[in-house]
Amino acid sequence: MDQHNTHDPGPADRPADRPAPCPGRDHDTWTTIDELHDWLEAETGIPPEQDLLLRMLKLSEEVGEVAQAVIGATGQNPRKGATHSWQDVEAELCDVIVTAMVALRTLTPDAATVFAGHVRRVAARPRTPLGP
């Protein structure tokens, strides 16, 4: 998510029946995702089918920003040199995660349960050695 276009719902934007998020608790993460989803739904002004597709495409934009930050952190663009820090990469990765969570929430109102089930399946996969 572009830092200039994000909206961090504050107390004035939060419905009265929802508590303020508490860092580090998954429920509060999904509460924030629900709030972001609801805000985007209210602001979009485009047909739902188009909005759904654009939310999915937003992921590509965010992944591109991760790549840009990695290139900037490693100074791999000889024309620009070092333009980013590894903290910038961290922030961009977090934007990818939030964007994916909002996209999942756009597909289903039960996004937290869908995600938790997927994480359980990934955790249950056998782990094999990586190469020789």
Side-chain angles (χ1 to χ4, degrees), residues 3-50:
Q3 291 175 346
H4 303 290
N5 294 333
T6 59
H7 174 75
D8 182 18
D13 301 320
R14 189 177 303 111
D17 59 334
R18 287 202 179 153
C22 230
R25 291 182 47 205
D26 194 48
H27 170 76
D28 294 321
T29 297
W30 283 105
T31 298
T32 300
I33 295 303
D34 283 340
E35 290 171 350
L36 289 169
H37 170 266
D38 294 348
W39 174 71
L40 288 168
E41 290 287 308
E43 294 292 323
T44 182
I46 60 175
E49 306 81 28
Q50 186 178 4

Side-chain angles (χ1 to χ4, degrees), residues 55-99:
R55 296 254 173 98
M56 302 306 134
L57 291 175
K58 179 73 174 159
L59 282 167
S60 293
E61 177 189 359
E62 295 298 340
V63 169
E65 291 176 12
V66 171
Q68 181 180 18
V70 169
I71 289 167
T74 58
Q76 292 304 304
N77 183 335
R79 196 170 43 83
K80 295 181 180 178
T83 58
H84 291 74
S85 68
W86 287 106
Q87 288 75 26
D88 294 327
V89 176
E90 291 172 0
E92 296 299 344
L93 286 168
C94 289
D95 284 348
V96 170
I97 293 165
V98 169
T99 301

